[in-house]
Amino acid sequence: MGAWYKKAVIYQIYPKSFKDSNNDGVGDLAGITEKLDYVQQLGANTIWLNPIFVSPQVDNGYDVSNYFAIDPILGTMDDFTKLVTEMHKRKMYLLLDLPINDTSDQHPWFQDAIKNKDSIFREYYIWGENNGERPNNWGSFFGGSAWEKDPNGGAQYYCHLFDKRMPDLNWQNHEVRKSMADIAKFWIDKGVDGFRLDAFIHIAKANLQQNILNQDTEFPMDSSLYANLPNVKTYLQNFIKLVKDDNPEVFFLGEASSADAYQAAEYTRPNQFGCDMVVSSDNYGEIYPFKDPNIPKFFQPRQLDSTHFKETFSVWEAVLENISLPALTWGNHDISRVLNRLNVNAGDEDFPKALAVCMYLQRGIPIIYYGEEIGMRNLNYKKLKDFHDQRAMDLIQLLQGLGYADDDIIQLLNQQDEMTARGPFQWKNEKYVGFSQHHPWNWADHNTVTAEDAESDSEGLLAFYRAVLKIKNTPLFSEGSYVLLNTKTNIYAYERELNGQKGFVVVNLGKQPENYRIPTIKIIHTILANKANSLVDNVVTMAAGGSIVVMEE
Ligand code: NOJ
């Protein structure tokens, strides 16, 4: 059935937080190598690492100052080679995270661009000005303006959609596309199997003279001016062709946070040198009740709504059919952990099991965020000053201005802020959870689950995840077709079919018991079930949070 990645099960590792082999408090590549067997036993065959290149760490590695070396806090090139070798020995694949929209301001391209007015690298970045002022009023995703004055006193401003220490690259310039392709090829030669293309939907911008017509704030945001513009696809194709011409098997997973299913289809059409798959924030299928509309969307509490979840996946599955595989995920490093986001009660293992069954057995590629499989939750910071990133600090200022009590702000941030989702992997019941002997770089109160405990619980979440992924790794569930079944509101049910063989997945996402007749006249048998489910004459009766997978005989 073609490319290897169609059968990928991806495990996302935040390298600074997985396993610290040299006890300096920061996770590293050698630590990841130590734990490959754990990842493989889970049933994942692919690892996506957040950026590992040299970086001032303004944005935890997304601000790259040297794409050709490993950041010393994570290890050495030898550690990297060892990691790839050990992965390939196990028939596992490695994806690196490649920030392509911007670099660090410490990158030699930018340094040369600001020091030397005739530098060819000036054209690697986006410059503008309007009568000595910023070219427009666009706001940055990280707060404030998206423009910063040339630090060496020039009249122009450079564009930065994220932090001001992360200037955006000028993808109109073919040399930029070529340079990025050279970087990708360097890592392919070192054994990398694919890339997550960070923030690629922003590489094309509208005409810089366009202001955003919003009088309420000084630096408003309107992604129609810098997300998913038509040239994104053109630049992307040009870059990917340069890489794929010599390396057709390399997998490109694009981060398309605000793309809908139709845009995702455009980015992933086969044989057009687009991405092989994209992942969007829409893939969670959650709703935002917007109880306080003053809170920016990024920090808005969310909830799982079974109707919306069904709509989301029926659309993504239908639109991408015969085009590409949907990304199946409950989280990543940019969003709070799923059990906090969805307010799952402490100690409840049934609902997390139901979430795994309903998400990962659909048609598509699972992306599991490290620690989800043992039920890790967000870190719980104690004080407002524990939140360091600009976005959180802006929110604190905003909410204090609106009269929110500090405790309420802390609670909101602990539930929504991304840093709380980047805690150390909880390996063992010991100080610093077996992650390190040293105080970890990101540390606060946390729930007490550990992989050590999970290993000895044959009925627990980890054992269940392993069982789910074992099913996922069969041809029916990795290659079969998907049809959403028509059911009561709180039941999510779908059919998978391959060469006449059928399987059914039924999950009770509600808070009451439910029953459901599996739509087949054939004899069926259960291959996985959680929680008091009875199956009599093809009618399954399920407790709240129940899930079942059955196969036709
Ligand atoms: C997307 C990454 O996932 C996020 O963590 C990062 O802050 C932004 N890109 C900017 O680089």
Side-chain angles (χ1 to χ4, degrees):
M1 85 162 225
W4 67 266
Y5 60 79
K6 293 189 178 167
K7 290 187 180 165
V9 171
I10 302 175
Y11 189 74
Q12 180 191 351
I13 291 181
Y14 203 68
K16 283 162 83 172
S17 295
F18 199 56
K19 177 76 177 98
D20 176 15
S21 72
N22 63 348
N23 292 311
D24 61 357
V26 182
D28 45 45
L29 299 184
I32 297 168
T33 308
E34 268 177 42
K35 296 295 181 184
L36 288 178
D37 289 339
Y38 169 82
V39 178
Q40 192 173 36
Q41 278 157 19
L42 178 64
N45 64 352
T46 305
I47 291 178
W48 149 30
L49 296 180
N50 292 91
I52 58 171
F53 315 119
V54 179
S55 161
Q57 303 288 327
V58 166
D59 187 21
N60 287 298
Y62 282 94
D63 49 316
V64 179
S65 55
N66 180 359
Y67 285 91
F68 297 103
I70 305 291
D71 194 294
I73 61 169
L74 300 175
T76 62
M77 197 58 98
D78 283 348
D79 295 335
F80 177 80
T81 307
K82 183 143 185 250
L83 172 64
V84 181
T85 311
E86 288 299 318
M87 287 185 68
H88 287 170
K89 244 192 236 170
R90 292 169 175 78
K91 299 203 177 0
M92 295 174 83
Y93 301 93
L94 179 61
L95 309 181
L96 290 190
D97 207 323
L98 189 60
I100 63 168
N101 176 65
D102 41 66
T103 67
S104 159
D105 61 355
Q106 301 306 307
H107 193 287
W109 297 338
F110 190 72
Q111 286 298 310
D112 199 61
I114 58 175
K115 286 188 187 134
N116 171 1
K117 77 177 174 30
D118 298 320
S119 167
I120 56 160
F121 296 111
R122 192 92 187 160
E123 291 305 310
Y124 269 48
Y125 296 91
I126 302 171
W127 301 91
E129 58 100 24
N130 182 7
N131 292 323
E133 300 292 326
R134 298 182 174 91
N136 58 45
N137 65 351
W138 300 358
S140 136
F141 291 113
F142 285 4
S145 166
W147 295 94
E148 188 70 16
K149 196 90 185 267
D150 182 338
N152 272 11
Q156 290 183 307
Y157 290 76
Y158 65 86
C159 176
H160 62 89
L161 289 183
F162 296 93
D163 192 277
K164 67 176 181 216
R165 290 156 291 180
M166 297 161 68
D168 277 38
L169 285 163
N170 172 19
W171 275 74
Q172 265 181 335
N173 179 353
H174 182 68
E175 291 302 318
V176 167
R177 303 182 313 235
K178 213 170 140 296
S179 299
M180 269 303 158
D182 289 343
I183 291 166
K185 289 185 208 171
F186 171 86
W187 289 103
I188 293 166
D189 288 347
K190 296 228 169 273
V192 161
D193 303 289
F195 298 93
R196 171 196 183 259
L197 294 182
D198 182 64
F200 85 89
I201 58 171
H202 302 297
I203 60 178
K205 275 88 178 164
N207 183 324
L208 300 183
Q209 278 146 12
Q210 296 188 56
N211 276 307
I212 297 168
L213 301 177
N214 175 334
Q215 311 302 323
D216 297 344
T217 105
E218 193 181 2
F219 301 117
M221 302 210 58
D222 179 349
S223 58
S224 65
L225 299 179
Y226 37 73
N228 299 309
L229 290 167
N231 271 339
V232 170
K233 193 170 172 189
T234 316
Y235 302 155
L236 185 72
Q237 285 173 320
N238 191 266
F239 157 72
I240 290 187
K241 184 165 188 327
L242 288 169
V243 180
K244 282 217 174 178
D245 271 349
D246 299 326
N247 306 282
E249 283 290 291
V250 167
F251 173 48
F252 283 99
L253 160 61
E255 187 220 5
S257 48
S258 59
D260 61 23
Y262 300 94
Q263 286 161 328
E266 282 316 307
Y267 290 135
T268 57
R269 288 201 181 281
N271 309 317
Q272 292 193 2
F273 294 107
C275 293
D276 299 297
M277 171 170 112
V278 295
V279 55
S280 148
S281 310
D282 220 20
N283 289 116
Y284 307 117
E286 296 166 7
I287 55 163
Y288 295 69
F290 280 103
K291 284 202 180 120
D292 180 350
N294 292 306
I295 298 174
K297 188 170 179 200
F298 184 76
F299 290 105
Q300 281 287 341
R302 297 137 216 217
Q303 65 195 46
L304 186 63
D305 175 272
S306 50
T307 304
H308 184 64
F309 186 82
K310 286 179 200 177
E311 281 163 5
T312 302
F313 278 93
S314 58
V315 169
W316 278 79
E317 291 283 0
V319 173
L320 295 187
E321 201 181 356
N322 302 320
I323 295 179
S324 62
L325 292 164
L328 308 175
T329 188
W330 281 117
N332 61 48
H333 62 291
D334 287 334
I335 187 168
S336 90
R337 284 186 177 270
V338 61
L339 301 186
N340 295 78
R341 242 164 52 230
L342 301 184
N343 282 310
V344 178
N345 292 334
D348 178 356
E349 284 211 338
D350 294 310
F351 200 67
K353 288 176 181 171
L355 292 177
V357 172
C358 77
M359 181 64 85
Y360 299 131
L361 295 181
Q362 301 178 105
R363 190 187 85 93
I365 297 182
I367 310 178
I368 296 161
Y369 188 51
Y370 77 99
E372 175 192 313
E373 72 281 6
I374 56 168
M376 272 176 62
R377 289 173 181 252
N378 287 350
L379 295 177
N380 226 319
Y381 294 126
K382 288 217 160 44
K383 300 184 281 297
L384 282 180
K385 68 176 177 22
D386 294 335
F387 296 92
H388 300 295
D389 61 296
Q390 193 55 47
R391 230 180 331 199
M393 292 191 301
D394 289 349
L395 182 82
I396 293 169
Q397 213 186 0
L398 174 87
L399 295 184
Q400 284 179 331
L402 290 169
Y404 270 69
D406 285 2
D407 282 351
D408 293 338
I409 304 176
I410 294 174
Q411 202 191 348
L412 175 73
L413 282 168
N414 275 331
Q415 204 197 354
Q416 297 302 129
D417 186 62
E418 59 193 17
M419 283 310 289
T420 62
R422 301 175 181 177
F425 187 98
Q426 296 166 197
W427 293 106
K428 286 189 187 158
N429 303 308
E430 49 182 61
K431 197 174 177 196
Y432 305 137
V433 290
F435 162 75
S436 176
Q437 308 283 317
H438 190 285
H439 189 89
W441 73 283
N442 186 18
W443 186 243
D445 282 353
H446 50 84
N447 69 341
T448 54
V449 299
T450 60
E452 183 177 43
D453 285 345
E455 287 291 356
S456 56
D457 181 2
S458 60
E459 303 281 301
L461 190 59
L462 178 62
F464 195 82
Y465 259 75
R466 287 176 175 157
V468 171
L469 295 181
K470 200 166 171 201
I471 294 174
K472 179 69 189 179
N473 284 325
T474 59
L476 173 61
F477 284 90
S478 68
E479 296 165 47
S481 63
Y482 160 100
V483 176
L484 177 71
L485 299 170
N486 194 7
T487 57
K488 299 177 202 163
T489 309
N490 286 326
I491 297 269
Y492 184 57
Y494 52 93
E495 173 193 301
R496 303 292 314 268
E497 192 264 337
L498 182 70
N499 302 328
Q501 188 192 21
K502 279 187 186 173
F504 298 88
V505 176
V506 187
V507 179
N508 180 1
L509 294 173
K511 302 218 179 316
Q512 305 298 328
E514 300 273 6
N515 53 53
Y516 175 69
R517 176 179 293 280
I518 310 257
T520 176
I521 49 165
K522 296 207 174 152
I523 296 174
I524 48 179
H525 67 276
T526 304
I527 55 168
L528 181 72
N530 144 44
K531 195 135 184 217
N533 295 307
S534 67
L535 181 63
V536 180
D537 293 338
N538 290 6
V539 175
V540 53
T541 305
M542 330 179 80
S547 52
I548 189 165
V549 185
V550 303
M551 297 277 285
E552 281 181 354
E553 301 265 307

